[in-house]
């Protein structure tokens, strides 16, 4: 007779949803529709290890007390709450933000399988906490539950830094008749730095890697004409793989926008994936091009990705959630456009079975601002 044991999963909270849950009776938790397949597998007794984004802290432990059910009554947002896949829960640990445990503190960092041994400042661990309901190793879940229970009994203060407070201040929620939208309000102190030659070469290599990946998966590839010569120094395109013209039936304004996107994967005259690779430290230009594309062709059903180094992850999410990209006709850009790190592109490209994989494998490597 098989015994079903409990499992640990990550549960992400933004500063906004953390505050809302803190002020609730903490008996119900919910997830968005895109988590349905995993949520269906949760059972009473499973535990959610809670983590608040932006400030990167462990904040609590939630125990599942029911099977999944659906309910659209608002719990996190006052209108059109997207977290409609619900569970009855018990919040066994819930820490005030100033007593939550930073992931970079030695109490956490030195003992988890995905952080211990990493050098200070490394971002290699972020893949583990990029999406809710990602399963944790039992030993990691048990350890995190243990240190948070100890923190609840004998609290140690971890004051929020000015950088933490800044991230919280610039993360706000706007209410519309269609629902609540999380926004990032720029603080105006950013500087634009001219990219050095090394970063430019890196971006060209990533363009080449994405092109080669698409070719292995059986797609035709489009590259902007201005980039082709440099990209082809790193990628030997197969015969008839690199398109000389786009086989798309759009008006000129749309075609001109599409032609300048860094990498396109195309199948049967349809764009399957579109990639903007970071060329500048502002990140803004690539995101703007994606927004222009959707504004010109709002019914286009294409997977959009901003590709940038891991250290630029927060910057990408900050830009994607700007108000200008959050009140678009087709909906917030963050619902359509995701972040893909250079590091994950390289990892996936090295998979020797890549040619046998579907393009949806990228969904296991990209990150959404919704979960950031």
């Amino acid at each position: 007779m098989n015994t079903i044991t409990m499992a640990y999963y990550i549960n992400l909270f933004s500063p906004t949803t953390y505050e809302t849950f803190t002020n609730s009776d903490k008996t119900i938790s919910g997830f968005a529709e895109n988590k349905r397949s995993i949520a269906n597998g949760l059972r009473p007794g499973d535990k959610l290890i809670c983590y608040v984004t932006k400030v990167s802290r462990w904040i609590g432990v939630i125990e599942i007390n029911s099977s999944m059910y659906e309910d659209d009554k608002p719990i996190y947002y006052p209108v059109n709450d997207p977290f409609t896949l619900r569970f009855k829960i018990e919040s066994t640990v819930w820490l005030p933000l100033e007593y939550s445990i930073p992931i970079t503190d030695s109490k956490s960092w030195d003992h988890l399988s995905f952080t211990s041994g990493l050098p200070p400042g490394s971002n290699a661990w972020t893949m583990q906490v990029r999406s809710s309901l990602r399963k944790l190793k039992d030993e990691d879940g048990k350890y995190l539950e243990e240190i948070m229970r100890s923190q609840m009994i004998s609290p140690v203060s971890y004051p929020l830094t000015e950088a933490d407070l800044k991230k919280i201040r610039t993360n706000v929620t706007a209410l519309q008749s269609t629902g609540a939208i999380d926004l990032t309000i720029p603080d105006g102190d950013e500087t634009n730095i001219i990219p050095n030659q090394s970063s430019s070469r890196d971006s060209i290599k990533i363009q080449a890697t994405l092109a080669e990946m698409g070719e292995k998966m059986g797609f035709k590839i489009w590259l902007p004409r201005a980039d082709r010569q440099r990209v082809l120094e790193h990628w030997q395109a197969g015969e008839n793989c690199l398109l000389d013209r786009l086989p798309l039936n759009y008006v000129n304004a749309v075609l001109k926008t599409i032609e300048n996107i860094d990498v396109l994967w195309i199948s049967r005259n349809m764009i399957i994936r579109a990639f903007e690779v970071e060329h500048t430290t502002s990140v803004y230009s690539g995101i703007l091009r994606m927004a222009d594309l959707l504004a010109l062709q709002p019914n286009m059903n294409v997977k959009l990705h901003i590709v940038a180094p891991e250290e630029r992850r927060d910057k990408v999410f900050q830009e994607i959630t700007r108000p200008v990209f959050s009140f678009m006709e087709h909906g917030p850009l963050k619902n359509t456009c995701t972040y893909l790190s250079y590091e994950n592109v390289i990892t996936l490209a090295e998979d020797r079975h890549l040619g046998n994989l579907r393009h949806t494998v990228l969904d296991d490597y990209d990150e959404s601002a919704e979960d950031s």
Side-chain angles (χ1 to χ4, degrees):
M1 179 176 169
N2 293 329
T3 301
I4 299 175
T5 58
M6 59 81 64
Y8 289 96
Y9 297 86
I10 288 282
N11 190 6
L12 301 187
F13 287 79
S14 69
T16 299
T17 55
Y18 165 80
E19 182 177 2
T20 303
F21 187 78
T22 298
N23 294 329
S24 74
D25 63 8
K26 304 182 186 67
T27 60
I28 298 173
S29 189
F31 299 92
E33 175 63 31
N34 64 353
K35 302 301 178 186
R36 178 179 291 273
S37 61
I38 306 175
N40 268 326
L42 267 61
R43 298 289 179 265
D46 287 341
K47 294 183 179 180
L48 306 177
I49 299 297
C50 302
Y51 175 90
V52 65
T53 63
K54 309 296 183 186
V55 294
S56 304
R57 291 177 173 229
W58 304 110
I59 51 168
V61 182
I62 289 173
E63 183 170 341
I64 300 293
N65 283 343
S66 74
S67 297
M68 188 190 80
Y69 65 96
E70 295 186 51
D71 188 356
D72 60 4
K73 180 181 177 181
I75 56 172
Y76 285 112
Y77 294 111
V79 290
N80 290 350
D81 191 328
F83 304 110
T84 58
L85 307 181
R86 305 283 171 84
F87 293 90
K88 294 179 181 178
I89 57 98
E90 178 184 358
S91 175
T92 58
V93 179
W94 197 253
L95 302 171
L97 204 53
E98 63 271 23
Y99 290 98
S100 59
I101 304 172
I103 193 170
T104 52
D105 185 79
S106 60
K107 184 183 295 184
S108 168
W109 187 270
D110 294 345
H111 299 275
L112 300 177
S113 66
F114 53 94
T115 55
S116 63
L118 292 177
S122 170
N123 290 305
W125 55 272
T126 57
M127 185 173 178
Q128 185 63 50
V129 292
R130 71 183 185 184
S131 180
S132 280
L133 296 188
R134 190 176 184 89
K135 194 172 184 179
L136 282 166
K137 290 184 177 180
D138 286 347
E139 56 267 32
D140 288 334
K142 289 175 183 176
Y143 180 75
L144 287 166
E145 180 177 15
E146 178 185 319
I147 63 172
M148 282 191 279
R149 285 186 180 277
S150 296
Q151 177 72 345
M152 182 174 65
I153 296 168
S154 302
V156 175
S157 176
Y158 295 97
L160 294 166
T161 66
E162 183 57 38
D164 291 333
L165 294 171
K166 178 178 173 182
K167 290 175 182 176
I168 293 172
R169 285 196 302 266
T170 58
N171 187 82
V172 300
T173 300
L175 297 180
Q176 290 186 300
S177 60
T178 54
I181 300 175
D182 285 334
L183 306 174
T184 297
I185 306 299
D187 60 13
D189 66 355
E190 298 166 13
T191 57
N192 290 323
I193 304 171
I194 298 174
N196 59 37
Q197 290 184 343
S198 176
S199 64
S200 180
R201 285 195 299 269
D202 288 343
S203 67
I204 289 294
K205 289 178 181 178
I206 291 294
Q207 270 183 277
T209 300
L210 289 165
E212 185 174 0
M213 287 169 56
E215 180 185 17
K216 287 182 178 179
M217 291 186 180
F219 296 109
K220 301 292 186 181
I221 305 300
W222 172 265
L223 298 170
R225 299 187 189 282
D227 294 343
R228 291 188 174 202
Q229 183 176 346
R230 290 180 297 164
V231 171
L232 290 173
E233 292 175 3
H234 304 280
W235 169 51
Q236 291 186 329
E239 187 176 358
N240 299 322
C241 177
L242 181 59
L243 296 171
D244 191 53
R245 67 176 185 84
L246 283 171
L248 306 173
N249 186 26
Y250 294 122
V251 298
N252 284 340
V254 177
L255 280 175
K256 286 181 179 179
T257 297
I258 295 173
E259 286 174 351
N260 286 315
I261 292 175
D262 288 331
V263 183
L264 299 175
W265 291 358
I266 296 176
S267 176
R268 297 180 181 178
N269 300 341
M270 293 179 57
I271 302 173
I272 306 300
R273 300 264 172 174
F275 305 87
E276 274 291 339
V277 182
E278 182 193 49
H279 288 286
T280 68
T281 56
S282 71
V283 187
Y284 191 79
S285 59
I287 295 174
L288 185 59
R289 192 149 34 238
M290 294 299 198
D292 285 347
L293 173 60
L294 293 177
L296 290 166
Q297 199 68 25
N299 295 322
M300 180 177 282
N301 184 23
V302 180
K303 290 278 190 175
L304 308 176
H305 306 282
I306 301 298
V307 187
E310 188 71 53
E311 61 267 22
R312 305 296 291 160
R313 174 181 182 274
D314 288 347
K315 179 64 175 174
V316 171
F317 289 143
Q318 178 183 334
E319 296 292 349
I320 286 178
T321 53
R322 278 175 178 258
V324 69
F325 299 133
S326 298
F327 298 103
M328 300 174 67
E329 181 180 354
H330 67 282
L333 184 64
K334 69 175 184 177
N335 294 348
T336 312
C337 186
T338 63
Y339 163 71
L340 191 60
S341 71
Y342 280 17
E343 293 81 357
N344 281 345
V345 168
I346 293 168
T347 297
L348 183 55
E350 292 173 347
D351 190 321
R352 58 192 181 93
H353 302 295
L354 186 62
N356 298 320
L357 300 178
R358 292 175 52 82
H359 68 92
T360 51
V361 70
L362 268 71
D363 299 338
D364 294 329
Y365 289 83
D366 66 355
E367 302 180 51
S368 170
E370 192 69 53
D371 291 324
S372 69

